[in-house]
Amino acid sequence: MGMVGGSLEAFIGAVHRRAAVFDGEIELVCGVFSSNPEKSKQTGHALYLPENRVYTSYEEMIMREKELPEGERMDFISIVTPNHMHFPPAKMALENGFHVMCDKPMTLNLEEAKELAAIVEQSGLIFGLTHNYTGYPMVKEARDMVRNGKLGKLRKIVVEYPQGWLSKLEEATDYKQAIWRTDPTKSGAAGCMGDIGTHAENLAEYITGLKITELCADLTTFVEGRKLDDDGNVLLHFEDGVKGVLHASQIANGEENALNIRVYGELGGLEWHQMEPNTLIYKTNEGQRIIRPSVGELSAAAKAHIRMPSGHPEGFFEAFANLYRNFAFALRAYMTGQPYDSLYDFPTVQDGVRGLAFIDTVIKSNQSTEKWTKFVE
């Protein structure tokens, strides 16, 4: 793996590196960790990389790595930069024969997302997207239960992602994460809805297998002086007549990272909370069942993503690592010509396109006087 972004002071870069090496399937061999050459060099040194594999730009890294023998050069790049710097290195890597793993949202806008999807299709290379919440075993179990009819015909989906860390104008301080996430030139046209609303959208579609067909959105910027939305409420229409509600906020004072989802059908319901990821609740009018990893009969998909014996908490890093491991399995299958077991799934470029289409549709709906806005990729 070669990495673009993720200097020592960046939160998500370290998460990606730890997740990638979790299973011994992936080795970090090179990187350009910052647009600042000195920061990139310092990060490479701290990660024990040889000086000649720490680069000053992604262009230099891709072209220099391409010149190396196949057994020595990087096989793929991991992109962990702010949103505006996802598309350029992804495009160049794919066009030069390198596979890509990218943080979300996939690109700055829908136009870039569609172009990237076309490049992936034309190249035949593997593209992964780190919608990391799909990597939890109990999310896999929830998806399997829906697919196997445990809930009956679905009726309603309620998904929420409240945070409170942007309740004040943090971007006016030196808080780097707040500065770029609230800057439309770096984050894109949406703030809260692009940053975490896309996670909620992806989780709802992943667990249920249903696509959003139209929506009605109301976005608000509560903090005076902020350039992008920091709160949003969205009514959703899914396929098959299923109705939904999506709420995302970064000004929900006191909330940490409280992503949660409830899915209701004719026969029962499911509930899962990211901050209690080892617990999935199956509900009916006759009672409730608590489902936990490594306890009782679980789906093959859940078992494939469980790492610890029962009673030992698994969490954020393990879910992230599941995506990188599954990406590595797909990459090995590609390189060896062997079949790939789709049990080990991960979000793809198409999930990325839908994420940007969701942002685009939410913004159009918020600006429209019409009640419903069609979801168009």
Side-chain angles (χ1 to χ4, degrees):
M1 177 176 82
M3 179 166 273
V4 180
S7 68
L8 293 177
E9 63 184 37
F11 158 68
I12 204 65
V15 172
H16 280 258
R17 285 192 290 271
R18 291 165 186 161
V21 303
F22 216 89
D23 295 280
E25 296 287 341
I26 295 168
E27 178 186 5
L28 177 68
V29 296
C30 64
V32 50
F33 303 102
S34 172
S35 57
N36 181 319
E38 187 57 33
K39 281 187 179 180
S40 184
K41 182 179 179 180
Q42 289 173 357
T43 303
H45 179 74
L47 296 172
Y48 305 105
L49 292 177
E51 288 186 12
N52 65 339
R53 302 292 290 276
V54 180
Y55 300 103
T56 58
S57 69
Y58 71 82
E59 295 96 336
E60 180 192 20
M61 182 176 79
I62 290 170
M63 298 315 296
R64 289 263 302 273
E65 290 291 316
K66 188 178 179 180
E67 294 172 355
L68 296 176
E70 189 172 346
E72 296 179 25
R73 68 186 180 210
M74 66 181 185
D75 296 305
F76 75 98
I77 67 168
S78 173
I79 303 171
V80 298
T81 61
N83 304 349
H84 72 296
M85 282 303 297
H86 289 179
F87 177 73
K91 179 177 185 291
M92 185 175 181
L94 291 164
E95 290 175 341
N96 284 276
F98 294 105
H99 308 271
V100 175
M101 181 68 108
C102 184
D103 209 358
K104 49 61 57 193
M106 186 170 72
T107 56
L108 191 65
N109 54 53
L110 182 56
E111 182 181 0
E112 288 182 349
K114 289 180 177 180
E115 183 177 348
L116 198 59
I119 295 171
V120 171
E121 183 176 1
Q122 183 178 10
S123 69
L125 297 172
I126 299 170
F127 187 99
L129 190 69
T130 51
H131 272 299
N132 55 295
Y133 301 112
T134 65
Y136 282 103
M138 292 298 93
V139 169
K140 305 289 186 186
E141 182 69 11
R143 186 185 193 213
D144 188 81
M145 292 176 71
V146 170
R147 283 183 168 184
N148 288 313
K150 291 287 289 183
L151 274 61
K153 185 182 185 305
L154 297 188
R155 290 172 169 169
K156 188 168 185 178
I157 302 161
V158 180
V159 61
E160 302 173 316
Y161 203 154
Q163 296 176 337
W165 71 288
L166 287 177
S167 293
K168 298 179 181 178
L169 195 67
E170 299 291 351
E171 57 267 41
T173 69
D174 292 330
Y175 196 171
K176 182 179 178 181
Q177 293 297 323
I179 291 171
W180 78 259
R181 291 176 194 276
T182 57
D183 181 349
T185 66
K186 294 180 173 61
S187 183
C192 169
M193 200 53 65
D195 189 21
I196 60 175
T198 50
H199 270 307
E201 165 266 326
N202 177 261
L203 187 67
E205 291 197 342
Y206 181 79
I207 287 177
T208 65
L210 299 174
K211 292 184 176 181
I212 299 167
T213 58
E214 57 183 2
L215 55 80
C216 178
D218 177 31
L219 302 181
T220 305
T221 304
F222 279 105
V223 177
E224 187 175 350
R226 182 160 289 155
K227 297 177 182 179
L228 295 172
D229 58 280
D230 49 28
D231 183 86
N233 303 290
V234 188
L235 295 177
L236 303 169
H237 283 174
F238 290 84
E239 297 169 319
D240 299 337
V242 177
K243 303 298 176 70
V245 179
L246 186 154
H247 155 62
S249 180
Q250 290 175 317
I251 51 85
N253 219 309
E255 296 289 355
E256 298 175 53
N257 199 53
L259 172 64
N260 67 85
I261 186 168
R262 286 162 281 162
V263 182
Y264 301 102
E266 290 180 341
L267 303 179
L270 291 173
E271 181 174 349
W272 180 79
H273 294 258
Q274 191 274 152
M275 290 178 64
E276 298 289 342
N278 278 12
T279 299
L280 175 66
I281 305 173
Y282 173 53
K283 310 175 178 182
T284 70
N285 288 336
E286 284 70 48
Q288 298 185 359
R289 175 189 165 208
I290 304 297
I291 303 170
R292 296 179 62 81
S294 301
V295 179
E297 286 299 317
L298 297 172
S299 67
K303 290 177 181 176
H305 296 85
I306 294 171
R307 295 173 173 275
M308 303 291 288
S310 61
H312 294 73
E314 296 185 55
F316 188 75
F317 282 111
E318 288 85 350
F320 234 111
N322 281 337
L323 298 193
Y324 268 97
R325 180 198 63 180
N326 295 358
F327 181 85
F329 286 171
L331 188 50
R332 177 177 287 119
Y334 176 95
M335 297 167 113
T336 61
Q338 299 298 312
Y340 168 65
D341 187 348
S342 60
L343 185 70
Y344 298 95
D345 66 317
F346 54 90
T348 69
V349 70
Q350 294 306 323
D351 295 287
V353 172
R354 285 199 65 79
L356 271 298
F358 173 74
I359 294 171
D360 203 48
T361 309
V362 164
I363 292 172
K364 286 180 181 177
S365 174
N366 183 63
Q367 295 171 343
S368 173
T369 57
E370 297 293 325
K371 183 175 182 181
W372 294 103
T373 302
K374 294 290 183 185
F375 191 110
V376 181
E377 290 186 26

